[in-house]
Amino acid sequence: MTDSVAAGPRPAAEHRESPLRTYARLGKLDVYDYYLGVFMVLAAVAFPLAAFTGQDALVLVLFTAGSVGVLMAMVALDDVTGFRDGSDLTNYAPDDRLRAKARKPLVAGTLTVPQALRFAVASAVGGAALWTAAVLCAPHRPGWALIAAGALFVVSLQYSYGLKLSYHGFQEVFLVALGAVLVIVPHALLTGGFSGFLMTQALLFGFGPLMFGVYSNTNDVAGDRAVGRPTVAALTSERGNAVFIAALCATEFLIGALASATGAAPVWFVLLMLPATALRTHQYRTGFVRGDIMTARRLGFRVHRLSVVLMVAANVLVGAGVAG
């Protein structure tokens, strides 16, 4: 991979903004949806209230702050690769009114590649330090949780940079695993284990990043095909991609339904999640019946946030003994 794009003429910055705001754009801090799992974990461990300690709260704060650092590094490196191979220049073309070029500081010309790389390194180091602090402060340190966190750290940094794992497939699987690990690891640090109900919620949380990611991939299919990034949207036809995303919607519902049916989750859990299921269906119709992919992508964030609220409510009901 050469740096020919990065070495060529740079796009002019459209407007001046503070460096802090520009780096926040590079780190995608406005996409806070990856970090909402902390509220699910908090609701799952907070009962009985008298047993929740300041130490527990500190672990959650440190782990969440570390997650921000690790994910900022991941998305910054993704932007570097997308800028260098030209895919972001294609997907965020000046005539594309649906994609704000300012969200990509390298494309907008407000940052250089060396600046982005320095930011990624600093974010990764900070994230690793905060995760280490969370582990050292935690009341439990199960080996499998430490391995999961370590694997997520390594894979995140190699996702689009270095080994470029996302350029070899399985991008969709990684997005689910990313969300799930951000739930199960902090829960394990506080409790020493996990339950079937917690694992169900972790998987559903992981579907959040997946289900706005696949709509982004649908919109970015031309750029991804041009650089050989094998997303499902890039590898299949439009109909095949639509069938794949419909199957993901059905799978998401079935995870909750099977958990309720088998006792892994309360029997009422699948009913509690129906508003999210209905909004997910609306998202699919918007994208593949009405043909408005970018509006459907934005709806994906609303579905994810609603799902988190419903799962927090489920944990409160169970923890408070209102429903079991």
Side-chain angles (χ1 to χ4, degrees):
M1 184 71 64
T2 67
D3 291 356
S4 58
V5 176
R10 295 188 56 77
E14 293 183 345
H15 61 279
R16 294 183 180 275
E17 63 181 7
S18 70
L20 187 62
R21 183 173 177 81
T22 300
Y23 281 109
R25 291 185 187 277
L26 180 65
K28 307 298 183 287
L29 282 180
D30 58 323
V31 185
Y32 54 83
D33 302 78
Y34 295 100
Y35 316 119
L36 295 178
V38 65
F39 296 107
M40 295 163 51
V41 176
L42 177 61
V45 302
F47 297 94
L49 293 175
F52 186 74
T53 67
Q55 179 188 14
D56 295 334
L58 178 61
V59 171
L60 288 180
V61 170
L62 290 171
F63 186 86
T64 302
S67 299
V68 174
V70 173
L71 267 64
M72 286 199 306
M74 182 183 78
V75 297
L77 292 174
D78 185 70
D79 275 13
V80 168
T81 298
F83 179 71
R84 282 175 166 173
D85 66 21
S87 58
D88 278 352
L89 293 171
T90 298
N91 296 331
Y92 288 80
D95 59 349
D96 188 345
R97 295 175 296 174
L98 300 177
R99 306 301 292 271
K101 188 167 68 174
R103 285 183 51 78
K104 294 285 186 176
L106 294 174
V107 175
T110 52
L111 285 178
T112 65
V113 169
Q115 287 174 320
L117 288 173
R118 287 194 292 269
F119 174 81
V121 170
S123 297
V125 171
L130 288 163
W131 273 4
T132 300
V135 170
L136 294 177
C137 292
H140 303 278
R141 301 183 187 93
W144 63 265
L146 302 185
I147 291 171
L152 178 60
F153 179 80
V154 172
V155 173
S156 295
L157 299 186
Q158 301 295 321
Y159 178 68
S160 299
Y161 196 80
L163 295 178
K164 297 182 182 177
L165 299 174
S166 67
Y167 284 69
H168 300 286
F170 305 105
Q171 180 186 139
E172 293 80 6
V173 174
F174 170 75
L175 290 174
V176 176
L178 167 66
V181 169
L182 293 178
V183 172
I184 62 174
V185 170
H187 184 271
L189 293 178
L190 296 182
T191 67
F194 63 89
S195 65
F197 190 28
L198 188 280
M199 185 58 69
T200 298
Q201 293 178 69
L203 288 174
L204 291 176
F205 184 80
F207 261 76
L210 172 65
M211 295 304 287
F212 45 76
V214 290
Y215 284 88
S216 290
N217 291 344
T218 300
N219 183 76
D220 296 346
V221 64
D224 288 338
R225 283 175 176 165
V227 300
R229 194 171 193 173
T231 65
V232 171
L235 293 173
T236 64
S237 64
E238 289 185 18
R239 178 174 176 79
N241 185 51
V243 170
F244 170 69
I245 295 177
L248 292 179
C249 294
T251 300
E252 183 181 35
F253 169 76
L254 288 173
I255 289 172
L258 290 174
S260 287
T262 61
V267 67
W268 46 262
F269 180 69
V270 64
L271 300 177
L272 180 70
M273 298 301 295
L274 283 179
T277 301
L279 191 56
R280 181 72 77 201
T281 302
H282 176 58
Q283 179 193 18
Y284 183 84
R285 288 178 57 83
T286 299
F288 292 100
V289 177
R290 290 171 45 196
D292 190 347
I293 292 297
M294 292 308 290
T295 296
R297 177 185 179 273
R298 289 192 293 272
L299 279 171
F301 291 96
R302 290 174 55 190
V303 180
H304 181 61
R305 293 163 191 171
L306 175 59
S307 296
V308 169
V309 169
L310 294 174
M311 287 187 281
V312 167
N315 284 331
V316 170
L317 290 172
V318 171
V322 176

